[in-house]
Amino acid sequence: MIVVFAPDSFKGTIGAADAAAALAEGWHSVRRQDEAVLRPMADGGEGTLDAFAAAVPGARRVPVRVRGPADLEVDAAWLRLPPTARAPAGTAVVELGATSGIELLENLRPMGAHTAGLGQAIAAALAAGVSRVVVGLGSSASTDGGTGMLRALGARFLDARGADVPAGGQGLGAIAAADLSGLAAVPPAGVIGLVDVVNPLLGARGAAAVFGPQKGADPEQIAQLDGGLAQLARLLPADPGTPGAGAAGGAGFGLLAWGGSLASGAATVAELIGLPGAMRAASVIVTGEGAFDGQSASGKVPAHVAAAASGARVALAAGRIQSGADTSAFAAVISLTALAGTPASAMADPARWLREAGRHLARDLG
């Protein structure tokens, strides 16, 4: 039978391509006769550039040095995709995680981290003359509503005295005016933000309340950040209630204000890499991610794979599975932490435990 392996990266431990290969190796150790089809996935976060690079012949990485979320220089890259009828000068793929991501911080900066690096990478792509920009919005270090990105593209955010407000979420509440007169034009074929969540910008399900704690924000800071984002929403031409506006600390909202649109990262990447066709021919599909929790149903890779599978049984291999998380969409589930005994052991050698997960799944579903 045909088995498709379509995991996301296991954040900070192993990339999607290596995770897919390890799962397939474990499966083949039990069922060598099965045909393995590897389709490593991404949802707009870590690994998005890798997924596009693997799927598109002629894709080329372009190095760029940017100002990271801790104000230190970061060596990153954006990906240039070849020309198409829709984008005759090519498409740039930029990954927020590589330019303004939380993995770039030694210490969390809930109020001071920003998205300037993302904006600088986009600006570099625009200067190279691309027709379209695709932005992976995931793994964010900040809650700045995309203001760092917009500043790098020519916008200004001013306080009541006409001075520039501080970078990051700490300056949002002081914004009295947004000067967009110098903002770079959207490229001819548009800007698309790839999101893995449907959260709005504000409120109990918004960027600060839901994702602020992951970035080190305490309750008082969360309230301050949400208030600052509300102030920003009053000044920028975008709807803060748009699903995905709260993605990446509100960078989704910032992209909307620039004139971009938002799309499901998992669905966009899946279509590009030919996953729907591969799944139609499969008997079993194995997907996965580092942590399967209550947010995983809102646009993450495993949820998309399970929803898009047509008749095939879908299995989940995750680094850890949160107690109470809904796994009813899967024919089998397995946790690397349970196999390894502890989270530290699972994270220390993820390839080993992914191979073991593949073996278990082959015995259960073969």
Side-chain angles (χ1 to χ4, degrees):
M1 67 182 179
I2 297 174
V3 184
V4 171
F5 296 90
D8 197 353
S9 63
F10 284 57
K11 190 171 181 179
T13 61
I14 189 169
D18 288 338
L23 285 164
E25 183 181 342
W27 184 284
H28 266 162
S29 71
V30 175
R31 293 183 56 87
R32 189 163 298 278
Q33 73 275 21
D34 292 341
E35 178 184 347
V37 178
L38 274 58
R39 291 290 187 271
M41 275 284 289
D43 58 15
E46 179 184 282
T48 298
L49 249 64
D50 291 339
F52 276 89
V56 181
R60 179 171 59 89
R61 291 181 189 271
V62 182
V64 63
R65 179 168 287 185
V66 301
R67 179 182 162 210
D71 292 324
L72 302 175
E73 286 194 334
V74 172
D75 288 318
W78 58 276
L79 191 72
R80 186 161 196 161
L81 306 184
T84 63
R86 180 178 176 186
T91 294
V93 182
V94 184
E95 187 179 301
L96 183 149
T99 56
S100 304
I102 197 167
E103 299 296 330
L104 300 174
L105 294 178
E106 269 191 42
N107 299 299
L108 297 176
R109 302 179 73 214
M111 305 304 290
H114 52 72
T115 53
L118 173 63
Q120 289 172 331
I122 294 172
L126 295 178
V130 298
S131 297
R132 179 174 57 174
V133 176
V134 175
V135 184
L137 293 172
S139 307
S140 170
S142 65
T143 309
D144 75 344
T147 52
M149 172 191 70
L150 293 172
R151 277 174 154 164
L153 293 170
R156 294 186 68 194
F157 296 96
L158 310 172
D159 64 18
R161 300 189 309 273
D164 292 309
V165 302
Q170 62 193 339
L172 295 177
I175 298 174
D179 179 1
L180 307 183
S181 61
L183 189 60
V186 170
V191 175
I192 302 171
L194 304 183
V195 298
D196 62 359
V197 298
V198 295
N199 300 70
L201 181 67
L202 306 172
R205 294 181 55 250
V210 176
F211 306 113
Q214 301 168 6
K215 301 167 187 180
D218 61 30
E220 182 178 342
Q221 290 170 325
I222 289 168
Q224 181 181 340
L225 289 167
D226 191 60
L229 291 171
Q231 174 66 7
L232 182 68
R234 286 189 280 270
L235 297 170
L236 291 185
D239 180 1
T242 302
F253 177 75
L255 268 187
L256 291 170
W258 184 28
S261 60
L262 302 178
S264 163
T268 302
V269 174
E271 191 65 36
L272 176 72
I273 66 175
L275 182 60
M279 290 197 299
R280 282 193 291 271
S283 298
V284 174
I285 303 160
V286 181
T287 187
E289 64 179 349
F292 188 86
D293 55 26
Q295 294 179 24
S296 295
S298 301
K300 303 287 188 179
V301 164
H304 174 79
V305 171
S310 52
R313 293 171 292 166
V314 181
L316 170 71
R320 65 174 179 84
I321 299 173
Q322 185 183 65
S323 176
D326 183 5
T327 59
S328 60
F330 304 100
V333 297
I334 192 162
S335 158
L336 305 194
T337 295
L339 290 174
T342 65
S345 296
M347 294 175 70
D349 193 356
R352 172 190 173 186
W353 298 109
L354 283 163
R355 287 191 293 270
E356 188 63 29
R359 282 191 280 271
H360 278 261
L361 292 172
R363 295 188 192 106
D364 291 344
L365 299 176

